[in-house]
C-alpha cells in the first residue's frame, strides 16, 4: 500500500509542477503582507546565490566571466535587490514570461553590472 502511495505521489508531482515566472515573482513582490514580502526577498536572495554559485563552479566569480550576470557590492541590501528586479520587470514587460531566476539575474545585472576590474 505504501509503495502504491509513493508511486501515485511521484506521478502527480510532475503534472502539478509549473515554472515560477517573472510575472509570478512580481505579483508576490507587490503584495504588502509580511509573509509575501519575506518570501519575495528570500526567493531573490536564493536565486542570486544560486546564479553566483553556478558561475563560481564553472570558472569563478573573481571577475567578469562569460555568463557572470552581476557583481553585488558587499553592502548590498535585500531591498535594493528586490527594487532592482521589480524595476527590470517594469521596464521589460516581456520578462513576465521568463523564468523568475532569469529575471532576477537580468535585473541584478542591469542594476549591479560587473566592472572590468572586478
Amino acid at each position: 500500500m505504501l509503495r502504491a502511495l509513493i508511486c501515485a505521489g511521484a506521478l502527480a508531482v510532475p503534472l502539478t509542477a509549473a515554472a515560477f515566472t517573472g510575472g509570478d515573482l512580481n505579483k508576490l513582490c507587490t503584495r504588502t503582507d509580511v509573509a509575501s514580502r519575506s518570501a519575495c526577498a528570500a526567493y531573490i536572495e536564493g536565486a542570486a546565490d544560486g546564479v553566483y554559485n553556478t558561475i563560481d563552479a564553472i570558472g569563478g566569480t573573481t571577475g567578469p566571466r562569460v555568463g557572470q550576470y552581476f557583481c553585488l557590492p558587499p553592502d548590498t541590501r535585500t531591498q535594493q535587490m528586490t527594487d532592482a528586479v521589480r524595476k527590470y520587470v517594469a521596464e521589460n514587460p516581456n520578462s513576465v514570461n521568463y523564468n523568475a531566476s532569469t529575471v532576477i539575474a537580468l535585473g541584478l545585472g542591469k542594476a549591479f553590472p560587473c566592472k572590468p576590474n572586478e
Side-chain angles (χ1 to χ4, degrees):
M1 179 65 175
L2 180 60
R3 191 176 294 166
L5 285 174
I6 292 171
C7 288
L11 292 174
V13 170
L15 298 175
T16 60
F20 193 63
T21 67
D24 296 329
L25 179 64
N26 196 48
K27 285 178 193 171
L28 178 65
C29 294
T30 58
R31 294 182 185 151
T32 58
D33 62 286
V34 174
S36 295
R37 292 175 63 89
S38 295
C40 167
Y43 192 93
I44 290 173
E45 285 188 78
D49 278 349
V51 169
Y52 182 91
N53 288 330
T54 299
I55 298 304
D56 192 41
I58 63 171
T61 55
T62 57
R65 304 198 188 276
V66 174
Q68 187 170 350
Y69 295 108
F70 55 85
C71 291
L72 295 175
D75 60 346
T76 304
R77 303 232 185 266
T78 304
Q79 188 60 51
Q80 292 172 290
M81 294 168 61
T82 301
D83 292 344
V85 171
R86 292 195 57 215
K87 181 178 180 185
Y88 181 83
V89 172
E91 293 175 350
N92 299 277
N94 288 336
S95 68
V96 298
N97 299 315
Y98 302 167
N99 182 285
S101 61
T102 300
V103 171
I104 292 165
L106 294 172
L108 294 178
K110 178 95 170 159
F112 303 101
C114 296
K115 294 177 178 69
N117 60 354
E118 287 186 274

